[in-house]
Amino acid sequence: MFMVIKDLCKSYQAGEIETVALRNASITLNKGEIGVILGPSGSGKSTLMNIIGGIDTADRGSVIVDNQEITKFDDNRLTEYRREKIGFVFQSYNLIPHLTVSENIEVIESISKDPLPLSDVLAAVGLTDKKNRFPRELSGGEQQRVAIARAVIKNPHLLLCDEITGALDYASAIDALDLIQEVSNRFGTTVLIITHNTAISKIANRVYKLRSGEVVDCIVNENPSDARKVEW
Ligand SMILES: Nc1ncnc2c1ncn2[C@@H]1O[C@H](COP(=O)(O)OP(=O)(O)OP(=O)(O)O)[C@@H](O)[C@H]1O
Ligand SMILES: [Mg+2]
């Protein structure tokens, strides 16, 4: 198993009030698989993803990625792990407005150990002809593709996508999912997609359903759909 998450617990304390975000959550993924975490708002999806990505820490339980137990890492090793292994794509694109498409991607390329060729990544996301544009000159779907390109350029072992289709229209959402599926096939990238859209789970090898911080169901999908065939 490439990723093994076992009995993860996380609570947030705000004054007197404690919110339990994760209750003994356990999930696994093989190398090159696409996993979908499905759950309503507040069910702990982002918390789970942030802990897997090393930008938040768990109270209890373990996260093992590529044979490394990251829940035992100190801050320095977590920074290195995030930088070398993890690609993040968020719903908000977080592009740098005064840099072009190419330059936005190059920022990440420059701090990566073993980046993919920029021209390959631009071609993969279909933005070769728009590489010199600024973010404001792109549609929302195109900006999301730049955000995906930026996560992919470092050739991450694990690509984490948090609600990346939520702000997109249907056609752009399918494009983004198709792109992620293509990246996973082409580069063997393991992908975790977080969503509340049930239809998206059709492209996954494994689907985990989260309710109030608890994994209530796990479905192994022997024949994941092509993203182009998903409808909602
Ligand atoms: N930094 C924080 N401080 C306090 N509470 C938090 C914090 N982050 C998350 N929570 C709480 O933990 C619970 C899980 O939040 P989380 O963001 O993981 O949900 P989610 O499934 O990603 O929801 P959404 O679909 O709305 O993004 C919620 O009740 C939320 O209010
Ligand atoms: Mg969230």
Side-chain angles (χ1 to χ4, degrees), residues 61-188:
S62 59
V63 174
I64 297 173
V65 175
D66 209 5
N67 294 316
Q68 292 190 299
E69 187 168 353
I70 65 138
T71 26
K72 292 224 164 90
F73 281 5
D74 60 18
D75 281 352
N76 287 337
R77 288 194 74 191
L78 269 183
T79 304
E80 194 183 310
Y81 162 79
R82 277 197 304 269
R83 185 178 288 190
E84 289 177 8
K85 304 246 159 123
I86 306 296
F88 280 108
V89 190
F90 298 102
Q91 180 169 7
S92 50
Y93 318 126
N94 302 317
L95 303 180
I96 303 167
H98 60 275
L99 298 183
T100 64
V101 168
S102 285
E103 289 163 349
N104 263 282
I105 303 169
E106 281 164 341
V107 168
I108 303 300
E109 183 188 22
S110 67
I111 61 161
S112 302
K113 218 176 172 181
D114 189 20
L116 297 170
L118 178 64
S119 55
D120 282 10
V121 174
L122 279 168
V125 298
L127 287 171
T128 305
D129 57 337
K130 293 180 177 161
K131 64 180 182 191
N132 295 321
R133 291 215 196 162
F134 290 96
R136 66 167 186 280
E137 299 166 333
L138 300 173
S139 73
E142 288 166 346
Q143 290 180 53
Q144 186 58 280
R145 282 192 264 156
V146 180
I148 294 170
R150 210 175 36 175
V152 164
I153 185 94
K154 67 161 88 164
N155 201 3
H157 296 202
L158 182 59
L159 182 62
L160 300 174
C161 306
D162 193 351
E163 208 66 78
I164 60 165
T165 54
L168 302 178
D169 63 44
Y170 174 73
S172 306
I174 295 294
D175 282 347
L177 293 172
D178 182 52
L179 173 58
I180 281 166
Q181 210 170 35
E182 202 184 296
V183 163
S184 176
N185 287 337
R186 186 148 150 216
F187 304 113

Side-chain angles (χ1 to χ4, degrees), residues 37-57:
I37 309 274
L38 206 58
S41 182
S43 57
K45 304 183 297 295
S46 296
T47 304
L48 180 59
M49 200 194 88
N50 292 341
I51 296 171
I52 296 169
I55 56 178
D56 198 354
T57 53

